[in-house]
């Protein structure tokens, strides 16, 4: 059932992704970073509004929030770097000029497209009402000429593009490759966090995809493949090996797992290396 | 009022707003980093805010000072936010005109007092409507308002007793079984033209209690035995060796007959209730209850707020459902408190304090877990008791 792992040597080195902190949460903004992270098997969670359909919560858009375990894994692999705060290279005036030039270019393009739109609408309207007789054809030509001469695209109708990621980096594509992996490991010195990270790393190493499972009463939801294609198989709860657990808590977890048709995994990293797993499954009474 | 960071971010992300800094448009990323931080609006609060806005709710910041105090709520005052001046038009007292600095509470109290004084003033006004000095003209005018008000109110009050329940202790039902005669009817209760004669119930009385009580064979046997019982043949009496023991035996039997057996009542631990004494079911259940039922808001007034837990947002349903205006939003649908799965679970103290602060609007806890938001709320629940008072 475990996915086959490709040997490490065959894979090309993973690209360095740029992380930025917002309220001490690691966020990914650039599209290529999101793709890179997903291809490495880290799922994360999208937080923002999807630009095309903002009024729904089913599919969200950028930024992508990483779990602390995912962030630490990226940092340890040397795959993460801090995004530069502001584009220090170009002076403000130059940026301003570039911006106005872009706006002008966009405006001209859009006015051409708007005119074409109006012309085709006119043709459609006139040819649908009457058949094709020379008199109406001539009238049509006349009207088209009129339109071309008198059409003006108002400035207020200009569609403006809001950039999601910071514009500076997408303007200069060569800057994308120059991120040095310098992300500090912000590990919290807390045994629970440590246990969670060990379990995460182990399960990720076996090829599973993991997301957070707060609403299922556990630490991680474990998917056998990409979450878009599979349902979760396990709810992973991380415990220390010597931690004593109240039986009622075990019962709670087992009941919850059986109600949502997932197996509960009690995961405990051993100090001598491998993580020990215990599964709870509701068996039928015979 | 400058818009707060979360509102800016949502409008911006939805494409309704463009933000400029130093004449250059900001990217959304810059906005997040600039506006969202733990001291202004945290990322988690923004997540909840965005989630609700995308669903269509109207979400406002919660301002604890704009909520009415618990005392004001107890008085059930109308929300006199913008209507202060207009609503008090009715309140005009015969005493010197009120100053505009009086609060709504004081004016309500005065209205109550004035209604008590009304009957006299009403009479005075009707008796002497012509006496009009320049000062009294205003008063007379004001007084003519009240007679129109008062009869309605009194009529309203009078109609209420009609719907009250019967008072059975003052209505007497004649006991036909014991009394020989019925008292003659009061002529005022009968329709006109009907004179009550004397009702002779003697033939009827003769027909009551005619049937012989049929006893079962066991009962008849018992009757016979009781008449013929010989105290000396009683085994327990024979076991008594002296008069003291016999007396004790009699006492025991007496006690058992009366429902107070000695082994229950003579020790230190006695039954909770004497079965011979009458008690209603409700009181009995009260006596034997182990768990006292309580209300969520009991004792909540004394609690002080804590720093970590506070209500963040007021959530209103979208405009088409409720009539919502920015100046007068009305009662919110719910209030949101944002917390995280990594943080502590709200304990009873926090729940009580926030519910109390919120008044009659339910408090919803939005637990954020790296992109998933779960909403929880606590509801008061009464265990049903099958008692009909």
């Amino acid at each position: 059932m475990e996915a086959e792992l490709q040997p490490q040597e065959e894979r090309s080195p993973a690209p360095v992704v740029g992380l930025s902190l917002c309220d001490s949460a690691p966020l990914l903004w650039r599209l290529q970073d999101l793709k890179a992270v997903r291809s490495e098997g880290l799922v994360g969670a999208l937080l923002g509004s999807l630009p095309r359909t903002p009024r729904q919560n089913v599919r969200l858009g950028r930024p992508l929030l990483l779990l602390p375990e995912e962030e630490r894994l990226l940092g340890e692999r040397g795959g993460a770097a801090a995004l530069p705060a502001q584009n220090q290279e170009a002076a403000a005036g130059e940026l301003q000029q570039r911006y106005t030039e872009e706006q002008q270019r966009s405006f001209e393009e859009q006015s051409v497209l708007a005119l074409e739109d109006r012309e085709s609408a006119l043709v459609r309207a006139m040819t649908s009402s009457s058949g094709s007789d020379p008199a109406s054809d001539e009238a049509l030509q006349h009207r088209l000429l009129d339109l071309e001469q008198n059409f003006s695209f108002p400035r207020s109708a200009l569609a403006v593009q809001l950039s999601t990621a910071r514009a500076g980096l997408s303007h200069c594509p060569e800057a994308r490759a120059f991120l040095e992996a310098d992300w500090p490991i912000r590990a919290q010195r807390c045994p629970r966090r440590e246990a969670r990270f060990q379990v995460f790393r182990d399960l990720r190493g076996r090829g599973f995809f993991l997301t957070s499972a707060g609403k299922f009463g556990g630490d991680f939801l474990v998917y056998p493949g990409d979450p878009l294609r599979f349902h979760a198989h396990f709810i992973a709860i991380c415990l220390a090996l010597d931690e004593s657990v109240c039986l009622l808590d075990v019962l709670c977890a087992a009941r919850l797992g059986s109600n949502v048709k997932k197996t509960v995994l009690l995961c405990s990293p051993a100090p001598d290396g491998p993580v020990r797993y215990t599964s709870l499954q509701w068996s039928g009474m015979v | 009022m400058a818009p707060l960071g979360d509102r800016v971010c949502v409008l911006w992300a939805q494409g309704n707003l463009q933000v400029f800094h130093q004449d250059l448009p900001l990217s959304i990323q810059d906005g997040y980093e600039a506006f969202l931080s733990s001291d202004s609006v945290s990322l988690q609060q923004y997540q909840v805010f965005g989630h609700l806005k995308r669903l269509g709710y109207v979400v406002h910041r919660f301002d604890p000072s704009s909520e009415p105090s618990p005392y004001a709520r107890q008085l059930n005052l109308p929300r006199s936010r913008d209507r202060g001046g207009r609503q008090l038009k009715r309140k005009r007292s015969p005493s010197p005109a009120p100053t505009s600095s009086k609060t709504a509470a004081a004016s309500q109290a005065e209205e109550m007092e004035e209604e008590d004084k009304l009957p006299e003033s009403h009479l005075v006004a009707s008796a002497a409507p012509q006496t009009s000095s320049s000062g009294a003209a205003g008063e007379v005018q004001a007084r003519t308002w009240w007679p129109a008000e008062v009869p309605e109110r009194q009529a309203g009050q009078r109609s209420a007793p009609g719907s009250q329940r019967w008072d059975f202790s003052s209505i007497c039902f004649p006991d036909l079984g014991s009394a020989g005669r019925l008292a003659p009817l009061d002529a005022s209760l009968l329709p006109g033209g009907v004179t009550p004669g004397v009702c002779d119930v003697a033939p009827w009385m003769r027909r009551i209690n005619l049937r012989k009580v049929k006893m079962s064979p066991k009962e008849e046997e018992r009757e016979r035995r009781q008449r013929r019982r010989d105290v000396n043949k009683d085994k327990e009496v024979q076991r008594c060796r002296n008069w003291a023991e016999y007396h004790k035996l009699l006492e025991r039997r007496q006690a058992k007959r009366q429902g107070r057996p000695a082994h229950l009542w003579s020790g230190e631990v006695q039954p909770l209730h004497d079965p011979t004494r009458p008690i209603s079911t409700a009181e009995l259940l009260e006596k034997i209850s182990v768990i006292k039922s309580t209300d969520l808001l009991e004792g909540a007034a004394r609690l002080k707020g804590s720093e970590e837990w506070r209500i963040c947002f007021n959530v209103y349903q979208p405009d088409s459902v409720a009539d919502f205006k920015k100046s007068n939003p009305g009662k919110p649908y719910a209030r949101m408190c944002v917390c995280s799965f990594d943080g502590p679970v709200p304990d009873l103290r926090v729940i009580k304090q926030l519910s109390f602060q919120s008044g009659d609007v339910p408090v919803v806890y939005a637990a954020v877990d790296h992109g998933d938001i779960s909403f929880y709320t606590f509801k008061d629940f009464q265990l049903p008791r099958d008692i009909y008072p």
Side-chain angles (χ1 to χ4, degrees):
Chain A
M1 199 186 78
E2 297 165 23
E4 284 296 300
L5 268 187
Q6 300 184 7
Q8 285 286 64
E9 303 82 65
E10 287 183 13
R11 275 206 273 164
S12 49
V16 176
V17 298
L19 289 180
S20 67
L21 280 183
C22 171
D23 190 15
S24 69
L27 297 180
L28 283 164
W29 288 95
R30 304 186 301 170
L31 207 47
Q32 71 266 29
D33 290 341
L34 266 77
K35 286 191 203 169
V37 146
R38 193 55 171 248
S39 65
E40 275 190 56
L42 301 177
V43 180
L46 288 166
L47 297 186
S49 308
L50 198 59
R52 294 281 179 173
T53 46
R55 296 244 172 217
Q56 46 86 31
N57 279 314
V58 183
R59 289 268 167 258
L60 295 176
R62 288 178 284 163
L64 184 79
L65 172 68
L66 292 180
L67 288 175
E69 289 79 31
E70 290 172 338
E71 177 205 346
R72 187 166 157 189
L73 198 64
L74 270 182
E76 281 188 358
R77 282 193 203 162
L83 281 179
Q86 273 299 339
N87 194 2
Q88 311 289 348
E89 304 140 20
E94 196 183 313
L95 281 175
Q96 173 81 17
Q97 195 186 13
R98 232 191 292 174
Y99 172 64
T100 38
E101 280 172 11
E102 256 192 58
Q103 290 291 90
Q104 185 59 31
R105 209 173 24 233
S106 169
F107 177 71
E108 283 160 11
E109 267 184 46
Q110 286 189 35
S111 17
V112 168
L113 289 171
L115 180 57
E116 281 177 17
D117 221 12
R118 285 284 283 275
E119 286 178 350
S120 60
L122 183 59
V123 166
R124 250 201 319 269
M126 295 209 58
T127 50
S128 65
S129 51
S130 57
S132 61
D133 49 325
S136 64
D137 266 348
E138 203 179 297
L140 177 59
Q141 292 306 320
H142 205 70
R143 296 260 312 250
L144 282 174
L145 202 61
D146 245 346
L147 182 61
E148 254 177 81
Q149 285 170 350
N150 302 334
F151 179 74
S152 70
F153 184 58
R155 199 90 201 195
S156 57
L158 178 65
V160 176
Q161 182 178 30
L162 300 171
S163 57
T164 307
R166 202 172 292 127
L169 291 169
S170 61
H171 276 169
C172 20
E174 53 272 28
R176 283 187 229 152
F178 288 171
L179 287 174
E180 288 290 322
D182 60 358
W183 189 255
I185 298 184
R186 307 183 297 142
Q188 281 154 297
R189 291 286 141 232
C190 160
R192 244 194 71 72
R193 286 261 175 231
E194 194 58 40
R196 275 178 64 127
F197 178 66
Q198 298 295 334
V199 171
F200 182 90
R201 191 168 49 181
D202 189 63
L203 285 172
R204 186 66 210 93
R206 290 172 194 254
F208 292 104
F209 284 65
L210 295 123
T211 56
S212 70
K215 58 185 186 231
F216 285 102
D219 284 309
F220 301 112
L221 275 182
V222 184
Y223 295 80
D226 195 289
L228 284 174
R229 291 163 59 206
F230 295 92
H231 280 301
H233 280 192
F234 303 110
I235 303 172
I237 301 178
C238 303
L239 303 164
L241 262 184
D242 49 4
E243 190 179 326
S244 63
V245 185
C246 169
L247 186 61
L248 287 177
D249 291 339
V250 175
L251 267 179
C252 268
R255 276 227 172 242
L256 187 55
S258 69
N259 273 344
V260 297
K261 298 190 183 53
K262 300 189 204 303
T263 308
V264 175
L265 267 187
L266 301 176
C267 318
S268 310
D272 55 332
V275 183
R276 310 269 173 81
Y277 297 100
T278 314
S279 67
L280 298 177
Q281 216 169 9
W282 197 274
S283 69
M285 293 284 285
V286 182
Chain B
M1 183 173 76
L4 288 158
D6 47 3
R7 258 172 273 189
V8 170
C9 281
V10 168
L11 286 173
W12 192 0
Q14 289 181 345
N16 297 348
L17 185 63
Q18 197 176 14
V19 179
F20 286 87
H21 174 69
Q22 294 175 347
D23 292 329
L24 282 175
L26 276 184
S27 69
I28 308 240
Q29 176 180 358
D30 290 320
Y32 266 58
E33 288 168 12
F35 296 136
L36 302 179
S37 69
S38 42
D39 34 324
S40 62
V41 177
S42 73
L43 183 63
Q44 290 175 348
Q45 286 178 359
Y46 172 66
Q47 272 180 266
V48 174
F49 181 80
H51 181 98
L52 293 170
K53 288 292 282 186
R54 281 190 285 265
L55 289 175
Y57 289 99
V58 178
V59 187
H60 275 203
R61 210 132 257 274
F62 174 72
D63 179 15
S65 58
S66 69
E67 291 302 308
S69 73
Y71 181 58
R73 262 184 254 149
Q74 254 185 314
L75 292 180
N76 209 9
L77 290 177
R79 303 289 286 272
S80 60
R81 221 179 277 181
D82 301 339
R83 304 171 292 164
R86 275 170 272 143
Q87 202 205 7
L88 302 179
K89 236 202 302 199
R90 274 174 29 201
K91 185 203 79 62
R92 226 162 290 191
S93 60
S95 48
T99 57
S100 54
S101 59
K102 283 212 181 112
T103 61
S107 65
Q108 280 278 38
E110 278 192 33
E111 263 194 14
M112 310 293 190
E113 289 170 15
E114 280 149 15
E115 282 162 19
D116 293 341
K117 292 190 284 190
L118 270 176
E120 305 93 55
S121 52
H122 171 70
L123 292 171
V124 167
S126 58
Q130 305 309 324
T131 57
S132 47
S133 57
S134 54
E139 291 175 8
V140 166
Q141 223 175 19
R143 272 182 217 163
T144 55
W145 284 46
W146 298 334
E149 298 285 341
V150 166
E152 289 166 23
R153 201 156 309 183
Q154 284 179 352
Q157 282 168 358
R158 244 184 269 125
S159 66
S163 60
Q164 281 171 11
R165 291 163 55 205
W166 295 100
D167 181 20
F168 289 107
S169 53
S170 59
I171 303 173
C172 65
F173 290 99
D175 183 5
L176 289 173
S178 55
R181 303 182 132 259
L182 271 179
L185 277 176
D186 192 1
S188 64
L189 294 174
L190 294 173
V194 177
T195 47
V198 175
C199 186
D200 181 18
V201 295
W204 296 104
M205 295 293 289
R206 267 181 257 127
R207 293 200 207 159
I208 302 175
N209 295 334
L210 277 187
R211 272 177 59 188
K212 209 168 142 78
V213 174
K214 208 164 157 30
M215 286 193 287
S216 72
K218 227 196 311 193
E219 283 177 304
E220 291 189 7
E221 185 62 41
R222 206 182 330 139
E223 288 277 318
R224 261 182 275 128
R225 248 189 297 130
Q226 272 183 350
R227 277 181 248 125
R228 279 200 256 118
R229 209 190 307 194
D230 186 1
V231 71
N232 290 322
K233 292 221 182 95
D234 195 337
K235 289 237 171 57
E236 286 193 332
V237 175
Q238 284 174 356
R239 254 182 266 137
C240 298
R241 288 169 299 175
N242 51 36
W243 280 107
E245 284 185 16
Y246 180 64
H247 278 300
K248 278 214 205 62
L249 174 65
L250 285 183
E251 267 176 38
R252 267 206 318 272
R253 284 196 179 157
Q254 174 87 332
K256 201 157 51 161
R257 248 204 313 273
Q258 287 184 346
R260 292 181 75 93
H263 65 275
L264 285 181
W265 291 97
S266 52
E268 267 182 38
V269 180
Q270 291 188 350
L272 196 54
H273 178 71
D274 185 356
T276 55
R277 283 215 209 98
I279 190 173
S280 71
T281 318
E283 284 172 32
L284 185 60
L285 283 179
E286 263 309 293
K287 263 192 163 182
I288 65 174
S289 74
V290 176
I291 305 172
K292 285 255 169 286
S293 68
T294 175
D295 190 308
L296 181 63
L297 295 179
E298 207 174 288
R302 304 184 247 111
L303 295 172
K304 282 193 301 261
S306 72
E307 269 309 306
E308 318 172 38
W309 294 95
R310 54 189 183 81
I311 299 177
C312 302
F313 304 120
N314 288 342
V315 179
Y316 302 86
Q317 291 198 299
D319 304 76
S320 54
V321 176
D323 31 66
F324 170 87
K325 286 194 267 290
K326 274 226 179 109
S327 53
N328 181 20
K331 196 169 100 144
Y333 175 65
R335 293 197 221 267
M336 266 319 135
C337 173
V338 177
C339 53
S340 148
F341 271 110
D342 297 327
V345 179
D347 55 3
L348 184 60
R349 191 178 187 287
V350 168
I351 299 172
K352 278 196 177 211
Q353 192 255 318
L354 291 184
S355 303
F356 182 70
Q357 192 180 28
S358 162
D360 51 355
V361 176
V363 177
V364 176
Y365 295 85
V368 181
D369 171 42
H370 292 110
D372 280 323
I373 308 178
S374 315
F375 297 95
Y376 299 102
T377 186
F378 296 91
K379 283 195 151 88
D380 249 341
F381 177 68
Q382 285 273 45
L383 287 174
R385 299 202 312 177
D386 282 332
I387 300 169
Y388 302 95

